[in-house]
Amino acid sequence: KAGVTQTPRYLIKTRGQQVTLSCSPISGHRSVSWYQQTPGQGLQFLFEYFSETQRNKGNFPGRFSGRQFSNSRSEMNVSTLELGDSALYLCASDTGGAGTGELFFGEGSRLTVL
Amino acid sequence: AQRVTQPEKLLSVFKGAPVELKCNYSYSGSPELFWYVQYSRQRLQLLLRHISRESIKGFTADLNKGETSFHLKKPFAQEEDSAMYYCALADYGNNRLAFGKGNQVVVIP
């Protein structure tokens, strides 16, 4: 079956703009997690959704938000972009919850903020 | 707080030499730990988990609760082992996997 799909794969924005990233999980997976990956900090947890409900949120400012739709697809939004938001944003899905251990990751959306 | 520490950022080893990636964790409950790997231009994927106690691609990892460690080992490194490795801790109460900062492994031919 198809893997986790993230769009767009690459994007360039300027400071102050906002961006929306999309994630389509593996069919049948109801949990979607988002991570920010940077060389210095590794993988940092943003939030996790299950059945359209945000169950947990990481330590990121309110500019970072997300949602999940009834078909389990998820979006994350970053408003008022800052240079430090440049990163690879990874989406991962699994069947029953992010705590089960095996997350299936997408290829990521690489955001560059100029 | 649940935390995963991978002390070495970059590890260079010669082909055929042993490789060991260190991972330490802090967790109040019964830990469940994993190693994930990201090869160049590939997605992050699960390498192994401690509960399965199996060897994957020659890698093993033993959970040591006394030392709160879950080090990844391979006796003879291969060039295809060059990748980024992340140790992760299941934080079921918060529905998330907590990852370490990762180890970049470079195997020198």
Side-chain angles (χ1 to χ4, degrees), chain A residues 30-34 45-50 53-57 94 96-99, chain B residues 94-96:
Chain A
R30 295 169 65 190
S31 169
V32 173
S33 302
W34 288 90
F45 175 77
L46 280 157
F47 22 66
E48 188 260 357
Y49 289 88
F50 182 82
T53 301
Q54 185 185 88
R55 297 197 295 186
N56 192 21
K57 190 177 188 327
D94 77 285
Chain B
N94 290 306
N95 296 295
R96 68 174 187 135

Side-chain angles (χ1 to χ4, degrees), chain B residues 34-45:
Chain B
F34 309 83
W35 278 97
Y36 277 75
V37 61
Q38 189 172 32
Y39 301 103
S40 179
R41 299 198 176 105
Q42 293 188 31
R43 331 178 158 220
L44 189 62
Q45 59 187 289

Side-chain angles (χ1 to χ4, degrees), chain A:
Chain A
K1 51 186 170 182
V4 176
T5 305
Q6 291 187 246
T7 57
R9 292 289 316 282
Y10 303 91
L11 62 168
I12 300 173
K13 295 284 186 178
T14 56
R15 280 181 297 174
Q17 287 188 309
Q18 68 99 25
V19 65
T20 299
L21 309 178
S22 181
C23 172
S24 293
I26 291 172
S27 177
H29 285 189
R30 295 169 65 190
S31 169
V32 173
S33 302
W34 288 90
Y35 288 83
Q36 182 193 66
Q37 185 180 29
T38 58
Q41 298 300 317
L43 281 152
Q44 292 188 285
F45 175 77
L46 280 157
F47 22 66
E48 188 260 357
Y49 289 88
F50 182 82
S51 293
E52 302 179 67
T53 301
Q54 185 185 88
R55 297 197 295 186
N56 192 21
K57 190 177 188 327
N59 190 25
F60 279 81
R63 301 185 295 107
F64 290 81
S65 63
R67 58 179 176 168
Q68 186 181 35
F69 302 96
S70 58
N71 61 358
S72 293
R73 192 177 68 85
S74 178
E75 289 181 348
M76 67 163 282
N77 184 276
V78 188
S79 63
T80 320
L81 284 166
E82 299 177 0
L83 296 179
D85 297 333
S86 294
L88 182 67
Y89 290 88
L90 293 174
C91 167
S93 74
D94 77 285
T95 53
T100 56
E102 183 162 13
L103 297 182
F104 295 84
F105 284 87
E107 293 179 288
S109 293
R110 184 166 295 281
L111 170 65
T112 301
V113 182
L114 303 176

